[in-house]
């Protein structure tokens, strides 16, 4: 019987291992983490992450062939395959700060594997890492291995949050990179056999190690680039009277381009796009490719521009000041169907509005007040590092309230900003909302979820990303 251990019980480690356990009942899977509260939550009724379908999968396997534990060393020692799915955040200090990946967590996991292992193992990079990381990991493992054989594989994860279970059940592809040696090929085959339990053979791609590592960074860069491209068009649409939804529909009909990932928005968020592109930029710079680095950096700059543009639009439309005006924020998570707020565009938008002295009232169906206050108190890039960098008691931001209802958030407000595309925001009673707001009442739709015409008929002044502007907004100063 093959035994698997996964180091890191986060958004990737938890769901991925739960699906492996479900699909491979004869394999024993242990998910381990140094965070006691996280493991306790995995072993409770209230899982540490919100992900549609996850509860059901975990319930079917937990205690059968799926175990969550803080006994990291024992499970690593007993495993044949060790996945490493720890966080790989952006460095906050030292060489490469603000760009390079911080591999502290990965390195300490590798050293621990070397220390506790008594038998040969396949070590799988599940985390997203810089290309050539496997070489460094091999060095750590082989220098400390006491003669034990370790094969390193790169098996990056492509799931998206909110659809993780669906993505894992039916992946577009599974990518496995290994050394081009007989031992490397054998290790690739072992991992391939695990996925072959449910993934069709033609969807399992085997490559060399460096291609697998780089493909993950490339995939995220390409996806984010599409969003920045459509967001760049959204600015031009607003300036010309074109409608970005019509433009992206027309462009996406070209089968060479395709229709997915062309929704204009207030900007992309999430724990990975920015971090992985910054990492790619850094790798290009280190390899003497400044033009390539510059090219990819633009994807981030355009995303920052889109968030700033949104804040400027809000302020400019409301007579160039939001000081002491109540602004309702609907949605704080970085996308719908997740409670995850890592790098959510809502952080930058809220900070921008708070900077202009707005009074914010925030509602998100899945995000707690504590999380929102932490996010708004934290420095850039600190969120993915251990607790000591994060504020334990977030400074009380007086201009902020967090409520559990969209109507409460919008009561007496001057404006509503929609920052996450939660389905429930499409079907709110906007007439009721309008009746309880200050006038003129504004809606700034950062996700294009509302029917702007319907809202205009109610009496709202509506701004939708990349759509022809309301007469009111046209008369206001241009925003940059
Ligand atoms: P996460 O922060 O949710 O989980 C990482 C976990 O690793 C944490 O619980 C942390 O306590 C644990 N950990 C850190 N060092 C450890 C150690 N030495 N021993 C044991 N546990 C340790 O992160 P995540 O979102 O699951 O991402 C993990 C990796 O997967 C990252 O490299 C990320 O880029 C990549 N990735 C993430 C997603 C996503 O949707 N979140 C998708 C694809 C790839
Ligand atoms: C993304 C990738 O889609 C996954 O394939 C990858 O595995 C993952 O990053 C990762 O490496 O972490 P995720 O960040 O969970 O997944 O979510 P996405 O669906 O990609 O959304 C990212 C951001 O882009 C969200 O803020 C979303 O609202 C925004 N977005 C997405 C748009 O603004 N427009 C779109 O058309 C699509």
């Amino acid at each position: 019987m093959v035994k698997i251990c996964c180091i890191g019980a986060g958004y990737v480690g938890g769901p991925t291992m739960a699906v492996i356990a479900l699909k491979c009942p004869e394999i024993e899977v242990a998910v381990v983490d140094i965070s006691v509260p996280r493991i306790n939550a995995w072993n409770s009724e209230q899982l540490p992450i919100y992900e549609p379908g996850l509860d059901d999968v975990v319930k079917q396997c937990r205690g059968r062939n799926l175990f969550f534990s803080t006994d990291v060393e024992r499970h690593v020692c007993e495993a044949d395959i060790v996945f490493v799915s720890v966080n790989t955040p952006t460095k906050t200090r030292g060489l490469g700060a603000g760009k390079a990946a911080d591999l502290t967590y990965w390195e300490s996991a590798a050293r621990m594997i070397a220390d506790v292992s008594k038998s040969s193992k396949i070590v799988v990079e599940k985390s997203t890492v810089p290309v050539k990381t496997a070489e460094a990991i091999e060095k750590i493992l082989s220098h400390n291995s006491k003669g034990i054989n370790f094969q390193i594989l790169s098996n990056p994860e492509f799931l998206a949050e909110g659809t993780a279970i669906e993505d894992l059940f039916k992946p577009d592809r599974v990518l496995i990179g290994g050394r081009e040696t007989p031992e490397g090929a054998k290790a690739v085959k072992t991992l391939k056999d695990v996925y072959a339990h449910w993934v069709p053979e033609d969807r399992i791609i085997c490559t060399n190690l460096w291609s697998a590592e780089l493909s993950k960074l490339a995939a995220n860069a390409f996806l984010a680039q599409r969003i920045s491209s459509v967001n760049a068009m959204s600015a031009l649409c607003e300036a010309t009277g074109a409608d970005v939804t019509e433009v992206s529909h027309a462009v996406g009909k070209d089968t060479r381009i395709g229709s997915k990932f062309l929704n204009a928005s207030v900007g992309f968020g999430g724990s990975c796009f920015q971090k992985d592109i910054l990492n790619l930029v850094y790798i290009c710079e280190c390899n003497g490719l400044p033009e390539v680095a510059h090219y990819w950096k633009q994807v981030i700059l355009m995303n920052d521009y889109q968030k700033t543009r949104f804040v400027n639009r809000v302020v400019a439309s409301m007579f160039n000041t939001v000081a002491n005006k109540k602004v309702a924020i609907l949605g704080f998570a970085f996308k719908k169907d997740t409670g995850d707020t890592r790098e959510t565009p809502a952080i930058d938008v809220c900070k921008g509005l708070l900077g202009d002295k707005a009074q914010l009232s925030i509602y998100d169906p899945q995000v707690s007040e504590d999380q929102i206050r932490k996010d708004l108190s934290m420095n850039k890039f600190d969120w993915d590092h251990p607790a000591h960098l994060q504020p334990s008691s977030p400074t009380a931001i007086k201009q902020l309230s967090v409520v559990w209802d969209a109507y409460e958030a919008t009561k007496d407000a001057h404006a509503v900003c929609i920052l996450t595309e939660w389905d429930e925001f499409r079907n709110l009673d906007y007439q009721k909302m309008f009746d309880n707001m200050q006038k003129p009442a504004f809606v700034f739709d950062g996700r294009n979820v509302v029917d702007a015409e319907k809202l205009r008929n109610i009496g709202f002044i509506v701004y939708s990303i990349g759509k022809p502007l309301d007469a009111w907004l046209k008369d206001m100063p241009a925003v940059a």
Side-chain angles (χ1 to χ4, degrees), residues 284-466:
C284 293
E285 286 170 355
C286 292
N287 280 282
L289 300 168
E291 289 81 0
V292 185
H294 184 71
Y295 175 77
W296 287 110
K297 185 75 199 278
Q298 282 302 318
V299 173
I300 303 285
L301 296 182
M302 183 51 61
N303 198 46
D304 289 341
Y305 169 72
Q306 189 74 346
K307 290 181 275 189
T308 307
R309 205 169 73 77
F310 186 84
V311 173
N312 291 352
R313 178 70 78 187
V314 174
V315 178
S317 308
M318 296 170 73
F319 316 102
N320 241 357
T321 178
V322 286
N324 301 319
K325 292 178 186 163
K326 179 171 171 182
V327 178
I329 303 290
L330 298 189
F332 198 82
F334 83 100
K335 62 187 281 197
K336 74 169 182 177
D337 292 339
T338 177
D340 194 352
T341 59
R342 297 179 291 178
E343 295 281 359
T344 173
I347 294 176
D348 290 329
V349 171
C350 289
K351 281 186 172 173
L353 295 172
L354 288 169
D356 224 289
K357 298 201 164 27
Q359 298 278 345
L360 300 186
S361 184
I362 305 179
Y363 164 66
D364 186 290
Q366 283 296 332
V367 185
S368 69
E369 170 161 3
D370 191 46
Q371 186 62 49
I372 290 174
R373 288 190 180 277
K374 253 192 198 161
D375 288 336
L376 293 176
S377 315
M378 229 181 288
N379 291 326
K380 210 168 161 59
F381 304 129
D382 280 352
W383 52 269
D384 207 8
H385 290 266
H388 68 269
L389 283 173
Q390 300 179 8
S392 50
S393 54
T395 40
I397 303 170
K398 292 197 188 72
Q399 303 146 259
L400 180 79
S401 65
V402 178
V403 296
W404 281 101
D405 174 67
Y407 300 104
E408 180 67 30
T410 53
K411 190 163 176 283
D412 292 324
H414 291 258
V416 181
C417 295
I418 301 174
L419 301 183
T420 312
E421 73 282 19
W422 285 104
D423 289 338
E424 65 178 73
F425 298 159
R426 294 178 197 276
N427 305 316
L428 291 169
D429 182 345
Y430 282 96
Q431 180 68 57
K432 174 175 160 190
M433 203 181 267
F434 180 79
D435 293 343
N436 291 321
M437 284 176 67
Q438 307 276 344
K439 308 294 174 326
F442 297 83
V443 169
F444 298 94
D445 184 359
R447 296 289 185 169
N448 288 347
V449 294
V450 301
D451 180 339
E453 265 331 291
K454 209 166 128 192
L455 264 60
R456 282 187 187 119
N457 288 337
I458 293 174
F460 281 107
I461 296 161
V462 185
Y463 165 73
S464 305
I465 301 265

Side-chain angles (χ1 to χ4, degrees), residues 12 51 128 156-163 167 173 216 219-220 223-224 226-228 230-231 259-273 275-276 303 333-336 338 340 342-345 419-421 446-447:
V12 169
E51 192 61 64
T128 304
E157 184 49 59
F158 296 101
L159 68 79
E161 288 174 32
T163 54
D167 296 341
R173 77 312 209 176
K216 174 62 195 176
N220 273 359
L223 287 168
R226 285 174 72 91
I227 305 170
S228 278
V230 77
N231 282 345
S259 62
K260 290 183 182 161
F261 258 67
L262 286 180
N263 289 325
S265 66
V266 59
F268 60 74
S271 60
C272 293
F273 280 173
K275 140 179 115 57
D276 293 347
N303 198 46
F334 83 100
K335 62 187 281 197
K336 74 169 182 177
T338 177
D340 194 352
R342 297 179 291 178
E343 295 281 359
T344 173
L419 301 183
T420 312
E421 73 282 19
R447 296 289 185 169

Side-chain angles (χ1 to χ4, degrees), residues 6-15 32-35 38 42 49 72 84-89 104-110 112 126-129 156-161 216 220 271-272 275-276 334 340 342 383-384:
C6 176
I7 305 175
Y11 285 85
V12 169
V32 298
D33 204 292
I34 42 179
S35 163
R38 218 169 209 190
W42 279 111
I49 60 178
V72 180
V84 183
S85 186
V86 300
N87 36 328
T88 49
T104 316
Y105 312 103
W106 227 115
E107 186 178 332
S108 84
M112 183 269 299
K126 197 53 152 165
S127 304
T128 304
V129 290
E157 184 49 59
F158 296 101
L159 68 79
E161 288 174 32
K216 174 62 195 176
N220 273 359
S271 60
C272 293
K275 140 179 115 57
D276 293 347
F334 83 100
D340 194 352
R342 297 179 291 178
W383 52 269
D384 207 8

